[in-house]
Amino acid sequence: DFFNSIDKSKCKDMFLESTGLYGKTQVKKVDLLSGETLRSTKAEQRHFGEGLTRWGDQLIQLTWKGPTVLIYNASDLKLMRESKT
């Protein structure tokens, strides 16, 4: 897997992580001290995840070679929608 980004903003005891590869792209909430994955959501196999940023109550994940961004709910990591760039 490729590690693409990490975001600790607005998080006290965990961080958000974005990974990528076709079939392995996901976003995760990770415990800061133990490194344990607290929650994760995998993207469809056709997506190769890149960077991740928080925008209010949403997480926005860029994809490689595709004009698509994946938009997740920041609290439960559920995919809300895909958007073409």
Side-chain angles (χ1 to χ4, degrees):
D1 295 354
F2 286 97
F3 171 77
N4 297 95
S5 64
I6 188 169
D7 182 342
K8 194 179 173 316
S9 62
K10 297 188 179 184
C11 305
K12 292 181 181 177
D13 55 356
M14 64 94 178
F15 60 90
L16 301 165
E17 179 181 342
S18 168
T19 61
L21 268 183
Y22 291 113
K24 295 189 177 187
T25 291
Q26 60 183 318
V27 294
K28 299 190 273 187
K29 286 186 177 184
V30 180
D31 183 270
L32 186 61
L33 296 176
S34 70
E36 176 186 352
T37 298
L38 304 172
R39 183 178 299 250
S40 66
T41 299
K42 288 188 176 183
E44 291 182 17
Q45 186 159 346
R46 63 190 169 96
H47 296 300
F48 189 122
E50 287 289 343
L52 181 74
T53 192
R54 185 180 190 122
W55 185 266
D57 293 336
Q58 299 176 347
L59 300 176
I60 301 170
Q61 185 179 36
L62 303 174
T63 62
W64 181 59
K65 284 193 174 182
T68 304
V69 294
L70 305 174
I71 303 167
Y72 302 90
N73 180 300
S75 62
D76 62 12
L77 302 186
K78 288 186 180 178
L79 181 65
M80 297 168 58
R81 67 184 177 280
E82 293 182 22
S83 181
K84 300 292 182 187
T85 57

